[in-house]
Each structure stands twice: as structure tokens, then as C-alpha cells.
Amino acid sequence: MILVFTGLSTETNAEVQKTKRLMIEGLFNGKDGTMVLKNLKNDNIYVYNSERSTKRLTPESTFKVPNSLIGLETGAVRDEYEVKRWDGVIREFENWNRDHSLASAMRESAIWYYQDMARDIGENMMINYINQMGYGNGDITGRIDKFWLDSTLKISALEQADFMENLVEEELPFNEKNQKTVKRMMIQDEQDSFTLHGKSGTRLSDMGLGWYIGFVENDKETWVFAVNIDGSGTEAKNIAVEVLKEKEIIGEGREKSK
């Protein structure tokens, strides 16, 4: 796969930025999708499918990132090690059917843990922090333990990339310690030359929407990214990793978690 970049202009925050087109259609295997990739050192932005990059879609399990931040900030969980006991309900993924800590629930994408935490946070605190973050359309009317799952909350790939940038720079409305904790929980591949932080998400009702968001720190710079596709989170992750390799942002590495 050869990556080609050509110039185009997009308007962001009322400013016209020079953006480069990311020619990676072949990686999407005929499915609609988008990718946003930004170099935080020089602010260069690369976009595949600029029209879709502004389309707000449900965040699915990528919302575990802001949900973790809010849970830590409000004291709904003490730290990444706090364990919630499994309620004994058999769910669709075997790894969900056990006790989980905040960190393991992030790693295994155990929805029930985050639903329980969201109920503990409550609607008032949840909407307060979502509004402070400026997260997507800010609509949590679709029930406190479901609004991010094929429901009312929606966010675009460009907004996801901006959110990741703010997390990297620790400029979100949360204690720096909590932002560092969540970034640490997102580590998926750690090598001598780079560290990949990421979170996938899949619309489980029909497997028709997949996300992969995150950032990479290497020896030279930091990049943030957001991918969504009319498919699964695994497909979105595979696209992101392939592009990161082709651009030599990451090398061949071992996966620390799925």
C-alpha cells in the first residue's frame, strides 16, 4: 500500500488550515469510512474522506476514554485498580463474565463496568463534564447507561482527534493525574522506539460501525488519530496500524492487548 498526500483546505474553528489528503481507499475494502491523522509537532493534518470526517456518529466503546476520566474525577472510582464485582449475568463475550478493574474493563471493553460507573456518576455530573469537554453533540438523553451505545451521543472523527490532542496535552477539564492514568490505561503496544495508545469501539447491534482512536508517541513526535468505518472496531484498528506503519510512525511491534 502506497500512501499519497495531496493538498486541500478544510475549515476548522473558523480558520482555514492546510490539510493533506490521505489516499488509502484500498485499505477500506469498499466500505465507507474516514481517517484523521495529525502530527502534534508541526500541526500537519492528513485526512481520508474529508466529508465523512465531519459526520457525527455514535462513539460506542471509544466513550470509555471520557467515561474513565469523568469516573475518576467524580470519585465514582478511586483509581484504575478499583474492582467491580461481576453480577453473574452471562454476556456475549467470555472476558466480560468476571470481576473487572477500571483498567481491565478498558482493556477488555467490558461494557457492564462502564454502565455501572455511569449510573454512579449520574446525569448531572455526566452532562456537566461532557459540556466542559465540548464532546460531540453533548446529547446524553438516551439513558444514563446507554447514551453512547447506538443512541443519542454522537461525535465526528475530527472531533475525536481533537479530543485525543487535548488528552495528550492534558488540557481537558480534569486533574492531570487522572488524565495521565487514562493515557496509561490506553497503552496497547509499547516498544523502545514508540508507544501506541488506543481504544476501539464497535456498534454491537449490527457490527455496522467501528472506531479506533488514540495517539502514538515515538522518538521524534506525537501523532493523534481517529478512524471510523462501516464495519468493526477491529477493521478500524487494522487500518490505523497499517497507515502508522506505512508512514513509519510505528515499527513492527507486539500487541499488548486486543
Side-chain angles (χ1 to χ4, degrees):
M1 177 59 62
I2 298 175
L3 304 184
V4 180
F5 307 98
T6 58
L8 72 143
S9 294
T10 60
E11 191 167 328
T12 305
N13 298 328
E15 295 180 359
V16 175
Q17 295 182 325
K18 276 292 187 180
T19 303
K20 297 181 179 181
R21 183 176 287 124
L22 190 57
M23 305 297 286
I24 54 171
E25 183 176 2
L27 292 178
F28 285 79
N29 293 319
K31 295 183 178 182
D32 195 14
T34 186
M35 179 171 187
V36 177
L37 178 65
K38 183 176 181 180
N39 184 329
L40 300 189
K41 184 176 181 179
N42 56 27
D43 289 335
N44 284 341
I45 302 174
Y46 305 91
V47 178
Y48 168 70
N49 195 346
S50 60
E51 181 177 357
R52 175 153 171 147
S53 72
T54 64
K55 182 180 180 181
R56 284 174 167 170
L57 302 166
T58 54
E60 306 304 324
S61 282
T62 66
F63 187 72
K64 287 183 172 65
V65 179
N67 203 356
S68 295
L69 290 164
I70 298 169
L72 289 165
E73 194 76 13
T74 60
V77 288
R78 292 186 304 273
D79 52 37
E80 66 205 277
Y81 308 109
E82 179 163 336
V83 172
K84 288 182 180 291
R85 301 301 178 188
W86 176 45
D87 59 8
V89 176
I90 301 297
R91 296 177 174 86
E92 54 263 57
F93 299 104
E94 184 178 352
N95 287 340
W96 292 6
N97 300 323
R98 59 177 176 83
D99 297 348
H100 274 287
S101 66
L102 180 65
S104 70
M106 168 81 81
R107 184 171 60 252
E108 301 294 346
S109 210
I111 291 175
W112 67 263
Y113 186 105
Y114 281 84
Q115 290 180 310
D116 189 60
M117 185 170 67
R119 289 189 289 267
D120 288 341
I121 292 167
E123 290 185 8
N124 289 339
M125 296 302 293
M126 185 71 79
I127 193 62
N128 176 52
Y129 280 105
I130 286 177
N131 286 340
Q132 285 188 55
M133 288 187 290
Y135 188 91
N137 66 356
D139 186 350
I140 71 165
T141 58
R143 213 173 75 184
I144 187 61
D145 57 1
K146 192 178 182 297
F147 61 82
W148 65 92
L149 298 169
D150 194 16
S151 187
T152 55
L153 185 65
K154 296 183 179 182
I155 190 169
S156 71
L158 277 172
E159 289 171 322
Q160 290 267 37
D162 286 343
F163 173 69
M164 282 294 101
E165 180 176 357
N166 287 332
L167 177 59
V168 169
E169 303 293 344
E170 296 175 6
E171 294 178 347
L172 291 170
F174 303 101
N175 185 285
E176 288 184 7
K177 177 183 177 182
N178 293 334
Q179 294 182 75
K180 284 181 168 63
T181 294
V182 172
K183 287 190 287 186
R184 184 168 60 249
M185 291 195 307
M186 292 175 66
I187 293 175
Q188 296 199 330
D189 193 1
E190 191 170 15
Q191 304 292 323
D192 291 338
S193 60
F194 72 88
T195 303
L196 171 64
H197 307 248
K199 184 69 195 80
S200 60
T202 301
R203 189 171 67 207
L204 296 178
S205 60
D206 62 359
M207 306 296 284
L209 173 63
W211 282 98
Y212 190 57
I213 66 170
F215 63 98
V216 178
E217 299 168 302
N218 63 26
D219 295 337
K220 300 177 181 178
E221 58 224 348
T222 300
W223 297 73
V224 298
F225 60 83
V227 179
N228 67 54
I229 186 173
D230 289 349
S232 69
T234 298
E235 290 174 276
K237 178 177 180 178
N238 289 341
I239 290 168
V241 170
E242 183 62 28
V243 172
L244 293 171
K245 287 179 179 178
E246 290 290 339
K247 282 188 66 64
E248 299 182 347
I249 297 169
I250 65 174
E252 295 292 338
R254 55 183 170 78
E255 289 292 338
K256 295 186 75 173
S257 62
K258 68 179 183 180

